[in-house]
C-alpha cells in the first residue's frame, strides 16, 4: 500500500493530480473510458480546481465518467452538495457534458435515491462487478470515509451497492457507496492533509483492526491498489 507523504497540502494535491491524469490516460487507452468516483468535503476542491486549470488538454475528458463515493442528502443547489462543488471546480471549467456526470438524485427519498443511484451505475457499467478505475476518498477526523461513519449499520453491508444512512448525531441522511462496492475499484486514492487528521490516519493505518471505530479500515480492494496521499502534518503520528 503506497503511503506518499509530502511537505505540504499543495505538494500532496499536485502529485495526486498527476496520479489522477496518469490513471485516467491508462484507463482510456486500455478500455476507452475512465470511470472515476470523486470524494466530497473540502479537501479535494483544490485538486479539482488544479485538474481543470492545468490538465484541460492532458487527457480526452470526453471519455471520463464521474461518480460520487457519497453524497449529502440535500438539494442539488445546496452548498453542501458534493456534486455542486465538483461542478463549479471541475465540470464547468472543463465543459464536461452533463451525461458524463452521475449525481445522486436527492429529490427522491433517501432509500430511493440510493437504489436509483445503484441502478444508474449498473446501467452504465453493464457488466458486473462494477469496477471503478479510481475511487478518490477523503478521511474524516473520526476515521470515516465516504459516508461510512463509525458505528453505523452500513459498515456491516456485504453487498457491493449504494445505501442511505441516517447520521443520528448530525440528524442528516447521507447516500454512500458501500465498502464492498468501493473495494471493487481498480485503484483507490486517499487524499488527507492537515493536523486534525493525524490521529485518524495513524489509527487507520497502524491501529488495531476495529472497523466500527475506524471505518476507513474497511477499504481493502480484493484486486486493486490503495494509495495514500498525505501531507507531513496528517502523517505526523505515523511511526
Ligand atoms: C463528504 C466526504 C467525506 C470526506 C471526509 C473528509 O461527503 O464529506 O465524502 O468522506 O471525504 O469527511 O472531509 P474534508 O475533506 O472536508 O476534511
Amino acid at each position: 500500500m503506497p503511503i506518499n507523504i509530502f511537505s505540504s497540502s499543495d505538494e500532496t494535491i499536485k502529485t495526486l493530480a498527476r496520479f489522477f491524469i496518469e490513471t485516467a490516460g491508462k484507463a482510456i487507452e486500455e478500455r476507452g473510458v475512465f470511470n472515476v468516483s470523486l470524494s466530497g468535503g473540502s479537501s479535494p476542491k483544490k485538486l479539482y480546481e488544479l485538474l481543470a486549470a492545468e490538465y484541460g488538454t492532458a487527457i480526452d475528458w470526453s471519455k471520463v465518467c464521474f461518480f460520487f463515493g457519497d453524497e449529502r442528502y440535500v438539494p442539488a443547489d445546496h452548498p453542501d452538495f458534493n456534486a455542486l462543488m465538483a461542478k463549479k471546480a471541475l465540470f464547468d471549467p472543463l465543459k464536461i457534458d452533463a451525461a458524463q456526470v452521475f449525481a445522486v438524485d436527492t429529490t427522491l427519498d433517501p432509500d430511493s435515491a440510493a437504489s436509483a443511484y445503484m441502478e444508474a451505475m449498473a446501467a452504465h457499467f453493464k457488466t458486473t462487478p462494477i469496477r471503478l478505475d479510481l475511487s478518490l476518498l477523503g478521511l474524516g477526523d473520526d476515521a470515516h470515509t465516504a459516508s461510512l461513519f463509525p458505528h453505523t449499520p452500513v459498515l456491516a453491508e456485504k453487498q457491493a451497492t449504494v445505501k442511505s444512512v441516517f447520521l443520528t448525531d448530525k440528524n442528516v441522511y447521507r447516500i454512500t457507496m458501500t465498502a464492498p462496492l468501493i473495494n471493487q475499484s481498480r485503484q483507490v486514492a486517499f487524499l488527507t492533509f492537515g493536523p486534525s487528521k493525524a490521529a485518524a490516519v495513524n489509527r487507520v493505518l497502524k491501529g488495531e483492526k476495529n472497523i466500527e471505530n475506524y471505518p476507513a479500515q474497511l477499504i481493502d480492494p480484493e484486486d486493486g491498489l490503495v494509495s495514500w496521499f498525505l501531507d507531513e502534518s496528517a502523517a505526523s503520528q505515523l511511526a
Side-chain angles (χ1 to χ4, degrees):
M1 179 195 304
I3 298 175
N4 309 286
I5 301 171
F6 302 93
S7 58
S8 67
S9 58
D10 284 350
E11 282 308 306
T12 307
I13 286 166
K14 280 179 190 168
T15 308
L16 179 51
R18 288 195 293 272
F19 174 84
F20 181 105
I21 293 296
E22 283 163 17
T23 307
K26 282 181 197 150
I28 292 168
E29 188 180 330
E30 290 170 10
R31 291 178 294 278
V33 64
F34 176 52
N35 290 306
V36 59
S37 171
L38 301 182
S39 63
S42 56
S43 297
K45 185 168 180 286
K46 274 188 173 182
L47 169 67
Y48 304 154
E49 289 169 342
L50 180 63
L51 287 169
E54 299 193 9
Y55 294 92
T57 57
I59 58 170
D60 181 351
W61 288 94
S62 72
K63 299 258 182 7
V64 182
C65 289
F66 298 90
F67 300 85
F68 293 87
D70 72 321
E71 189 55 274
R72 288 82 177 279
Y73 187 68
V74 293
D77 60 356
H78 190 285
D80 288 349
F81 198 65
N82 287 331
L84 180 61
M85 180 270 282
K87 180 178 188 300
K88 291 177 180 173
L90 184 62
F91 306 152
D92 287 352
L94 290 181
K95 298 181 174 44
I96 299 289
D97 188 304
Q100 296 171 240
V101 179
F102 294 76
V104 175
D105 179 359
T106 53
T107 63
L108 303 170
D109 67 77
D111 285 344
S112 303
S115 49
Y117 199 66
M118 184 60 198
E119 284 161 21
M121 289 190 78
H124 172 76
F125 282 88
K126 298 183 175 62
T127 58
T128 53
I130 288 174
R131 289 207 80 193
L132 288 154
D133 294 305
L134 176 62
S135 283
L136 291 177
L137 292 175
L139 184 71
D141 300 1
D142 60 357
H144 81 263
T145 191
S147 285
L148 305 171
F149 282 84
H151 310 294
T152 53
V154 70
L155 302 185
E157 179 57 58
K158 300 300 180 206
Q159 291 298 310
T161 187
V162 179
K163 301 292 276 186
S164 68
V165 55
F166 184 70
L167 304 178
T168 49
D169 57 334
K170 300 174 177 16
N171 197 33
V172 294
Y173 277 98
R174 292 279 189 101
I175 310 298
T176 188
M177 291 185 188
T178 62
L181 179 54
I182 295 169
N183 283 334
Q184 290 175 176
S185 303
R186 290 186 171 87
Q187 296 224 55
V188 175
F190 279 92
L191 171 62
T192 305
F193 53 82
S196 70
K197 305 295 174 77
V201 166
N202 188 45
R203 288 186 185 123
V204 169
L205 290 176
K206 304 290 184 187
E208 58 161 344
K209 187 76 173 173
N210 184 326
I211 60 170
E212 286 296 321
N213 285 332
Y214 318 132
Q217 289 181 339
L218 281 166
I219 305 308
D220 182 16
E222 305 107 39
D223 178 20
L225 178 68
V226 181
S227 302
W228 286 77
F229 293 80
L230 304 167
D231 73 346
E232 284 172 356
S233 56
S236 59
Q237 292 188 23
L238 290 178

